[in-house]
Amino acid sequence: MQSTASNAVFWARHRFPTGVRMFDCLVRLVGDFSYFYLIGNQSMVLGTNWLARVGGGIEVDLSYRLVPWVSTTRLMVRYYGSDTVNGFAAGVGIIF
């Protein structure tokens, strides 16, 4: 029986203050990078044993502003790649 888990070898996210305000809230730039070593069925399906992700976006600190229960909203665009697979993703993250 083969495992379907993946092991993240390296993962990092860094936020850079911009000094810009949007809706009277602080705006930060976000950088994101990760490298995964794939094991089991995942590596067989993708045809590779590794996958890297790099991306960036903006983050708006909504604490005590528009929606009281939402503290931060992040818009990100990421590129995924390996020796056999590549693609882009866009997403929205909301921290409650």
Side-chain angles (χ1 to χ4, degrees), residues 10-31:
F10 181 78
W11 178 84
R13 177 176 293 147
H14 190 73
R15 294 166 177 87
F16 303 94
T18 62
V20 174
R21 297 182 83 74
M22 179 185 300
F23 307 115
D24 200 29
C25 301
L26 295 175
V27 176
R28 294 181 283 261
L29 294 178
V30 181

Side-chain angles (χ1 to χ4, degrees), residues 66-96:
L66 304 173
V67 183
W69 60 87
V70 175
S71 65
T72 306
T73 300
R74 181 182 312 123
L75 302 172
M76 296 288 292
V77 176
R78 294 183 177 110
Y79 170 78
Y80 291 81
S82 73
D83 51 352
T84 60
V85 177
N86 61 26
F88 288 93
V92 176
I94 298 174
I95 299 173
F96 295 92

